[in-house]
Amino acid sequence: MAAAKPTLTDSLSFCLAQLAAATGEGLGGEKDPATNETPLGCALLALRTRHIKAAGGIERFRARGGLRPLLALLRRAAAAGPAPSQAGPGSAPSSVASAASSPAPASGPAPSAVSSSTPSPPVRLRKTLDLALSILADCCTEGACRAEVRRLGGILSLVTILQCMKTDSIQNRTARALGNLAMEPESCGDIHCAGAVPLLVESLTACQDSLCLQNVVRALRNLADSPQHRLALAQQGAVRPLAELLATAPDAALTSALVRALLELSRGCSRACAEQLSLGGGLGPLVSLASHPKRVVREATILTLANLCAQGLIRPALGNAGGVEVLVRELRQRRGPSGASPASQQPLVRAVCLLCREAINRARLRDAGGLDLLIGLLRDPRASAWHPRIVAALVGFLYDTGALGRLQALGLVPLLAGQLCGEAGEEEEEGREAASWDFPEERTPERAQGGSFRSLRSWLISEGYAAGTDDISPDWSPEQCPPLEPAEPASPAPSPTSLRAPRTQRTPGRSPATAIEEPWGREGPALLLLSRFSQAPDPSGALVTGPALCGLLTYVTGAPGPPSPRALRILSRLTCNPACLEAFVRSYGAALLRAWLVLGVAPDDWPAPRARPTLHSRHRELGEFPRPPVSPPPHEFPSSPVASVGPEPQLPTHLSSPACPPDSPSPEWGGGGKQDAPSSAASPAQALGPRSPNSSCSPRPRPACLCLFPGSSLGSALA
């Protein structure tokens, strides 16, 4: 077979010469009768099909100086288009610059910079632009070419073409070139400054070709390379058209491109992004795509749903769409035997914990088995970095009786006690926009009337109790009333603000004199849950156990600062509850409290018990043949709480005070047997009694009531 006859276009030098000639003489030229093409058209076609596609062709084209005449050709072609723009080489077009300086409303796509009725360019001009843009887009796949195009001002030329030429093929290739250029952070910033985002958003609604839409979506995805750029894209209305396209059930390739773009735009999800995604109807399609057969689409969809949980305003709608079940199921799969690494579980754990902030989502999470999943995470030592976040999320179930019963059955109390003993990390702070949407903030600059008063006024008018605002006096506003001085320090009820931001000690806008807040550290959520469990009629099964008592006592005696008063109230509540007495005696809780709090001897410092003969009849009633305690008659309570239980239980000999024999008055209890509390003249250090020199407890004196629990049944038994 004879070899093909060589042509002039086989030479790269000839093609570059044609490019240089076109920039000076014009885009026309005589057609070659053999090919029915102009020399410029033949050169561009040869560059795209042979020279650029060859191995090392892009590098040779750049080294021979081909980018400069190519960009000059694009500028000349854009100026010869149907809507030329008056722009210099260093300034943006007027309409583009105005679009860049004034972002479009977040509720919809940007207004058109050029009328959609712009006539199509001539066939020869369109073909020249198609070939030149295709060459430039191929060249921008290499980093050196991207840097040179940016240095030569090619970004502004592309934005001008995107503004002037509304043909799908030209828009497609221009968006592809901009998407390739956006892979460089410097070029990405220049594209934003040149005003390309509103034009790309307009193309999403104007173009009908799937390939063109894919390249526009890809360009927007590459432009979302930083939090500032993602926020700018959302503020200029780039998210809603993407969500609307996803809701129209496009083809598989476009669906994949849309999901990947939404994943990038939802990182560090802003309020504008969440609002546009919800208004565009994208939540339902995203939840449906979570079960897509293609793994790339499925994982991108699930991570997008997890990112959206950072915005409280969208979490209720996300739960209504079925997002709670999707995230719980995915997290359970990743925690399975063949699951992914812990690093891939982190966004899902964060999303599930954030979903616990709304009551409607908590109910869905409980029904989907999310409580078992969270307890499993608390038991996993590999997930220790997430434990503070999980415990804070479980505080949302504080008043859900069914959920609390399930959590107690799953063994939450020992895990919470372990949180008090261990060195748990700090909980990651969330922004204000991640707060619970059960208590949305009212955004208004007015300060004359409180938010609660405005809510009350709106509710009274909507329910018909008031005809208008004139029927409600402004004097009803809480801010018109003077603050009340509290009579005595009290523990405030957990407010929604305290549950959302544990380390915020005071609600903004309120006077510190209106309430006295307790210190709230990393142990605050765990203590709040333990306090809720201790308020049960019979909390002995969960709290009067070795792990729970050790955790509370370790925190009280070993906290680096003053312990939370809530921990002291928990211990006092347990010892004052008659239902817990039997559990204290059976578990040697009385000896534990006395040794740890009175004698200052921690369990690690206890001496080895002395060997003694086993006497089966000594603790017959409390050991081998237990029977339920009989409630004392009214005239015997509380002075003799153990009168009907049976013989007084014997404490282990190694926990008895060696300095005080049983028949002698104990100095730490104040002397005689009728005295249950230390003398008022005794100092707190004397009330604590002697301390072991090897004790690991803090030497800081503890309050006497912590050691003695005056008035409690256990205190009387110990006395």
Side-chain angles (χ1 to χ4, degrees), residues 446-493:
E446 301 176 1
R447 297 189 61 183
Q449 299 174 353
S452 58
F453 175 66
R454 287 192 297 272
S455 301
L456 175 63
R457 183 177 62 185
S458 302
W459 181 80
L460 291 173
I461 296 175
S462 63
E463 295 294 330
Y465 294 107
T469 56
D470 297 336
D471 294 348
I472 306 173
S473 173
D475 295 336
W476 292 5
S477 174
E479 296 191 1
Q480 302 295 331
C481 303
L484 298 178
E485 296 293 338
E488 59 181 3
S491 174

Side-chain angles (χ1 to χ4, degrees), residues 309-310 315 349-358 389 430 434:
C309 292
R315 283 198 298 263
V349 173
R350 174 176 177 265
V352 171
C353 291
L354 289 172
L355 288 171
C356 295
R357 299 192 174 189
E358 287 77 31
R389 180 186 292 275
E430 297 287 351

Side-chain angles (χ1 to χ4, degrees), residues 35-110:
T35 60
N36 198 25
E37 289 286 348
T38 62
L40 176 61
C42 294
L44 290 174
L45 186 61
L47 285 172
R48 193 189 69 170
T49 57
R50 292 198 294 271
H51 298 289
I52 298 297
K53 299 294 183 183
I58 297 178
E59 176 63 25
R60 285 194 298 270
F61 181 77
R62 182 189 63 82
R64 297 282 298 273
L67 288 175
R68 184 181 295 274
L70 182 64
L71 292 174
L73 177 64
L74 289 175
R75 282 191 288 268
R76 190 175 183 88
S85 59
Q86 305 298 328
S91 60
S94 58
S95 58
V96 175
S98 61
S101 60
S102 58
S107 59

Side-chain angles (χ1 to χ4, degrees), residues 196-220:
V197 174
L199 302 174
L200 291 171
V201 172
E202 180 189 354
S203 300
L204 286 176
T205 58
C207 294
Q208 302 296 328
D209 181 61
S210 176
L211 184 59
C212 178
L213 290 173
Q214 291 177 39
N215 281 313
V216 173
V217 170
R218 174 178 173 268
L220 291 173

